[in-house]
Amino acid sequence: MAFTAENLAADDRFFAAILQCADQMLAIYRESPRIASIFAAQQRWLMAHAGFALHYGHPDGGKSGLYSGRFIDFAVKNDIASRNTAAAFMQEMLAYRFLRPVPGPDKRTRYLEPTEIAEQHFTRWLVTHMMILDSLDGGERADKITADPSAMMAAIQPLIAKAIIGSEAVRNPGPTFNLFNWANSGGLVMDYLISRLPEFPRTADRVVLGTLSLRELREQFMISNTHLKRLLTQASTMESVGWTAPSRKGDFWLSGHFIREYWNYQAAKFAIVDAAAEAVLGPAVRDEPQARRVI
């Protein structure tokens, strides 16, 4: 039986999985900042999932096929983006060679498909999540996907996309998470901050990370000084982040409620990924002793 969001949110072992996921997303960014920028803000991430799902065959679509008009209508209908934003995203993906034109059944319509580099990175995202789930219960999801990645991606990703797009817990996990995840590069900054957590006692009001270099953040994630300071100031006003001394001096900390927002978001997302995997791959073959091991 697939993990539920409630299972994962209550499982102390999932904290290590959260840190591993944050590290993996940062590793993808460092290897390819342009492709990883798609994951750096929620709106772009949702649009990318929508595009792949339409290409492979969205469960409610009746047929596979991606073209600009269909994508834009889908983004607007599902409250992902405005028509102008969705159209600009498609043009950007074409300019970056993450999409390319292909022949389609209707010669009057310009059909598109993800390029190999886009598919490889999205498959890596999928395999990373499966590996983390496998680490929790000893399953073999990742091995099954890597045995035939193209077919598995085509079968599993549309199920994930549909559930994510329809999930309030994923799309709106809390005010501080939303603040970071809707800002340009904010999702990457948030992943970085979470990856610095040494531990998280559930009753903690805050967890101290140590010193934080704003210059390092700016350079690493190509975010302007003004934008970064505004983001951290807003989060500080919400009492979600802060410094142990006035005027941004001392060690940096994250609040317990911010960490729990991130934890609950990851729990909801991983439960969706696991449910899609189970629907395609069947129930995970679990190693019970490993399932009880604290990671």
Side-chain angles (χ1 to χ4, degrees):
M1 184 176 180
F3 285 113
T4 66
E6 292 74 18
N7 293 151
L8 296 173
D11 190 340
D12 287 337
R13 297 173 305 126
F14 191 55
F15 177 71
I18 289 171
L19 298 185
Q20 185 181 359
C21 187
D23 283 338
Q24 288 296 316
M25 294 303 102
L26 293 171
I28 292 173
Y29 173 79
R30 292 178 182 119
E31 291 172 19
S32 181
R34 181 169 285 178
I35 191 77
S37 70
I38 298 172
F39 299 95
Q42 188 181 78
Q43 186 179 59
R44 295 169 64 80
W45 180 66
L46 291 173
M47 286 194 288
H49 268 292
F52 269 96
L54 293 173
H55 167 66
Y56 291 131
H58 189 275
D60 294 337
K63 60 180 180 179
S64 61
L66 174 63
Y67 51 89
S68 183
R70 187 184 188 197
F71 174 81
I72 293 168
D73 289 345
F74 185 90
V76 172
K77 178 182 176 181
N78 288 279
D79 197 28
I80 297 172
S82 68
R83 301 189 70 84
N84 287 343
T85 299
F89 181 78
M90 293 291 278
Q91 290 305 312
E92 182 183 355
M93 295 303 99
L94 282 164
Y96 288 165
R97 301 184 188 278
F98 298 148
L99 286 176
R100 64 187 170 209
V102 292
D106 182 354
K107 293 183 179 180
R108 295 171 297 179
T109 301
R110 188 193 190 197
Y111 283 82
L112 305 167
E113 70 175 10
T115 59
E116 288 80 7
I117 188 68
E119 189 171 76
Q120 287 168 8
H121 276 80
F122 234 79
T123 301
R124 179 176 175 183
W125 178 92
L126 180 63
V127 171
T128 295
H129 283 70
M130 297 304 176
M131 289 175 64
I132 291 171
L133 287 166
D134 290 343
S135 76
L136 292 172
D137 64 7
E140 299 176 346
R141 305 168 187 82
D143 287 343
K144 292 178 180 179
I145 290 173
T146 53
D148 191 357
S150 295
M152 291 295 99
M153 180 72 171
I156 294 174
Q157 190 277 333
L159 300 179
I160 294 174
K162 179 183 178 181
I164 282 175
I165 290 168
S167 171
E168 181 69 11
V170 173
R171 295 187 60 172
N172 186 28
T176 310
F177 186 99
N178 294 348
L179 169 68
F180 279 90
N181 216 32
W182 279 92
N184 289 334
S185 299
L188 291 167
V189 172
M190 179 166 55
D191 284 338
Y192 173 78
L193 296 177
I194 292 294
S195 75
R196 293 274 307 273
L197 285 169
E199 59 180 353
F200 178 49
R202 286 180 179 269
T203 57
D205 290 330
R206 61 178 62 170
V207 178
V208 176
L209 306 186
T211 58
L212 181 71
S213 169
L214 298 190
R215 178 180 179 180
E216 181 182 337
L217 282 175
R218 293 195 305 268
E219 292 177 352
Q220 184 172 178
F221 302 121
M222 295 181 288
I223 183 172
S224 72
N225 187 52
T226 300
H227 181 49
L228 178 60
K229 285 186 175 180
R230 183 185 300 119
L231 187 61
L232 293 177
T233 297
Q234 288 180 270
S236 178
T237 301
M238 299 164 70
E239 299 184 347
S240 300
V241 307
W243 284 262
T244 55
S247 302
R248 295 179 176 166
K249 303 295 183 181
D251 291 333
F252 189 77
W253 55 262
L254 302 181
S255 71
H257 69 80
F258 179 21
I259 299 168
R260 283 187 286 274
E261 282 182 18
Y262 191 94
W263 185 312
N264 291 334
Y265 158 80
Q266 292 289 2
K269 182 187 64 173
F270 271 92
I272 285 172
V273 172
D274 197 20
E278 183 170 283
V280 174
L281 304 175
V285 179
R286 294 190 166 104
D287 176 355
E288 290 302 326
Q290 184 172 354
R292 291 192 294 267
R293 177 174 58 87
V294 177
I295 59 174

